[in-house]
Amino acid sequence: MSDPSWTQVVKTVESEQPELKRALGPGLLLLFIVGDILGTGVYALTGQVAAEVGGAAWLPFLLAFAVATVTAFSYLELVTKYPQAAGAALYTHKAFGIHFFTFIVCFIVMTSGITSASTASRAFAVNLTVGFGIPDENLTTMLIALAFIVLIMLVNLRGVTESVWLNVVLTLVELSGLLLVIFIGMWAIAGGNADWSRVVAFETPEDKGVLLAVSTATSLAFFAMVGFEDSVNMAEETKEPSRIFPKMMLSGLGIAAVIYVLVSITVVALVPIGQLAGSETPLVTAVEAAAPGFPINDLLPFISMFAVANTALINMMMASRLLYGMAKQGVLPPFLAKVSQKRRTPWTAILFTSALAVALIVYVSLDPKGSIVALLGGTTSLLLLAVFAVVNVAVLVLRKQPVDHKHFRSPTVLPIVGGLTCLYLVFPWTSGRPTGQYTIALGLLAIGILLWVVERLYSRMAKRRDAPQQADSERTDSQRADSEQADSQRADSER
């Protein structure tokens, strides 16, 4: 359970803090979700997925969409039932009430967001140096990445309205890059420059059976669908969240799935599987095959800059709201629940998460091609799948706790299916993930446990420090009450 001392302090802090500003309507929420799901991952993932299943690369994206949608139903029931910041950590806290469990879920989701934002910031710096012909030196890249994450922090501090409108611009540019690939590809296909037989060709690696190959490819494709869950952390800044979340989240997932399937079909039809599987930039390869004279190599760095900038912006917004929400619930120290009176943004949580992102950028820059950096993205995806399994269980547990307003309700079978499919994609013998991801996952969990111990010690110190002051306050209140009672009795006797 949450520490009573924290809970008492948080109630005091919360009463003095203004509410977050509600700036997201249906359109802005939809673009937030679409922009979060779409990312630069698809630019590389299509080739990796094709290496596992051949030309049927569209199938894992459809399966990943199905898994994500089933879990999204659980998120929708919970966000409309509890329209508060903190997302999965909040639902875990309400369902199980175990401080340690809630803290670890919070740590995993925060780690995922800050890792994505930090790697995106470094990718922004790399694309900027390539696009403008700046010498690609590690120190230069690190300084640009640090400057960029500071800029994101300033936008986040400025206000949620400015942040979401920046997200609109970045999402539209990001979306245009993928639509460009689809339109150029369709133009080439219409001209007869495609081999449709490859689209249904199913080829698996020699060391994997069909089921394991599809599972591995779906695990890869699922990474491209992750992001829909971040939006629930913005519930306190959304207008009428219980009403608009269901349509917007499901629409956002559907839009992303259609784009991913069209991209994968287009790329596979234009490029031979062997060439596609060996390419680190399969979408560039497809455009070069469809329109040899098109300057895709000149445009891609700039399109990628906008895409990774959006990833960094959204994940830093999510991480700060997560910590803010957990501080309000008494799981984290109350200083993280402070809100700017003027901007109505969680400024302490923004500064704290930005400091963590800066530290991670510096760490990644020390060994940018190391094994840990290479596996970090897949590891956070692995841990998020475990969190999704927890959320699917939480929605069933919380059915026993009704609320006094109407909310979305998922069919009971979906959380069960969602939990089982998420666990299926987590286990090493069914997902085909590299063992290195599990090693790093255990390392991250160890760090989370260590931080939980530190937080518990800090909480107890705060409780002991505040105990005398609380006792004095209670003694003063008791004396005041006794005095008022004596005065009342004296007045009655005089009458």
Side-chain angles (χ1 to χ4, degrees):
M1 299 295 288
S2 60
D3 191 314
S5 64
W6 274 145
T7 305
Q8 185 173 11
V9 174
V10 168
K11 285 180 179 178
T12 303
V13 172
E14 187 178 350
S15 63
E16 297 173 353
Q17 298 298 316
E19 291 185 354
L20 299 179
K21 183 178 180 180
R22 295 191 181 274
L24 278 75
L28 291 179
L29 181 61
L30 177 62
L31 286 172
F32 185 97
I33 294 169
V34 172
D36 202 2
I37 298 174
L38 297 180
T40 54
V42 70
Y43 286 89
L45 277 175
T46 309
Q48 296 175 27
V49 171
E52 295 292 338
V53 295
W58 49 271
L59 178 61
F61 283 105
L62 275 181
L63 293 175
F65 166 69
V67 174
T69 302
V70 168
T71 297
F73 271 80
S74 294
Y75 271 93
L76 285 174
E77 176 167 339
L78 292 171
V79 73
T80 55
K81 190 175 184 179
Y82 308 107
Q84 302 167 355
L90 172 70
Y91 312 144
T92 303
H93 185 61
K94 288 186 175 294
F96 307 108
I98 302 173
H99 185 280
F100 172 76
F101 196 23
T102 302
F103 187 93
I104 293 299
V105 169
C106 177
F107 174 78
I108 289 173
V109 178
M110 181 196 72
T111 300
S112 169
I114 293 177
T115 299
S116 297
S118 301
T119 52
S121 298
R122 183 170 175 82
F124 175 89
V126 170
N127 281 289
L128 188 143
T129 56
V130 172
F132 290 99
I134 301 172
D136 186 14
E137 298 179 358
N138 196 33
L139 179 61
T140 303
T141 302
M142 183 183 74
L143 292 176
I144 294 173
L146 291 174
F148 175 71
I149 203 70
V150 170
L151 178 62
I152 291 294
M153 179 192 72
L154 294 175
V155 173
N156 210 349
L157 286 170
R158 174 73 181 175
V160 67
T161 303
E162 291 80 0
S163 298
V164 294
W165 277 109
L166 178 58
N167 166 66
V168 168
V169 175
L170 296 175
T171 298
L172 293 176
V173 175
E174 184 180 3
L175 186 59
S176 69
L178 293 173
L179 293 177
L180 180 67
V181 173
I182 294 171
F183 290 147
I184 291 177
M186 291 299 178
W187 175 77
I189 290 171
N193 299 324
D195 183 356
W196 285 107
S197 65
R198 288 198 292 260
V199 176
V200 292
F202 197 90
E203 303 173 14
T204 62
E206 295 180 359
D207 60 337
K208 292 181 180 178
V210 173
L211 183 59
L212 183 58
V214 172
S215 298
T216 303
T218 303
S219 296
L220 289 168
F222 189 81
F223 184 72
M225 298 303 301
V226 167
F228 67 91
E229 77 288 352
D230 289 341
S231 61
V232 300
N233 291 280
M234 306 298 293
E236 292 187 32
E237 291 159 289
T238 302
K239 302 172 183 177
E240 300 182 274
S242 296
R243 183 180 67 84
I244 69 174
F245 251 101
K247 288 183 180 180
M248 295 306 104
M249 184 179 287
L250 295 177
S251 297
L253 275 166
I255 291 170
V258 169
I259 290 173
Y260 284 161
V261 169
L262 288 176
V263 166
S264 58
I265 290 175
T266 302
V267 170
V268 167
L270 291 171
V271 183
I273 302 301
Q275 184 181 351
L276 188 64
S279 174
E280 294 184 0
T281 54
L283 270 61
V284 174
T285 304
V287 172
E288 288 175 341
F294 191 84
I296 185 63
N297 281 313
D298 296 330
L299 282 177
L300 185 63
F302 296 99
I303 295 174
S304 297
M305 277 172 56
F306 282 93
V308 297
N310 207 23
T311 298
L313 172 66
I314 290 175
N315 277 280
M316 292 307 294
M317 291 175 68
M318 178 276 293
S320 59
R321 272 62 178 184
L322 169 67
L323 298 192
Y324 159 79
M326 282 293 91
K328 284 181 65 179
Q329 294 295 319
V331 175
L332 296 178
F335 77 89
L336 291 170
K338 291 185 178 181
V339 177
S340 168
Q341 294 283 347
K342 183 178 181 180
R343 297 295 177 185
R344 291 165 65 188
T345 54
W347 66 273
T348 51
I350 292 172
L351 292 177
F352 186 80
T353 51
S354 298
L356 293 177
V358 166
L360 189 55
I361 289 171
V362 173
Y363 171 77
V364 169
S365 298
L366 295 177
D367 186 18
K369 296 183 180 180
S371 58
I372 293 179
V373 175
L375 293 170
L376 206 52
T379 302
T380 52
S381 172
L382 164 68
L383 292 172
L384 276 179
L385 277 166
V387 170
F388 291 168
V390 171
V391 170
N392 280 302
V393 174
V395 74
L396 296 175
V397 173
L398 289 169
R399 292 272 174 91
K400 301 174 183 177
Q401 301 179 22
V403 293
D404 58 359
H405 64 269
K406 291 183 179 180
H407 61 84
F408 181 88
R409 184 180 173 91
S410 170
T412 302
V413 68
L414 292 186
I416 298 173
V417 173
L420 293 175
T421 51
C422 287
L423 289 176
Y424 180 86
L425 295 175
V426 164
F427 294 130
W429 52 86
T430 53
S431 66
R433 293 174 178 274
T435 55
Q437 290 187 8
Y438 295 92
T439 303
I440 297 174
L442 290 174
L444 288 173
L445 288 175
I447 294 173
I449 293 171
L450 178 62
L451 290 175
W452 175 77
V453 171
V454 172
E455 190 274 334
R456 290 288 81 196
L457 293 174
Y458 182 74
S459 173
R460 290 178 182 177
M461 290 173 59
K463 185 177 181 180
R464 284 198 297 268
R465 185 183 65 240
D466 296 338
Q469 181 179 356
Q470 183 178 350
D472 291 342
S473 177
E474 291 176 353
R475 192 179 303 111
T476 301
D477 291 342
S478 178
Q479 291 173 350
R480 185 182 299 111
D482 291 342
S483 176
E484 290 175 354
Q485 184 177 3
D487 291 343
S488 176
Q489 291 174 350
R490 191 179 304 110
D492 289 343
S493 63
E494 288 175 356
R495 283 197 297 268

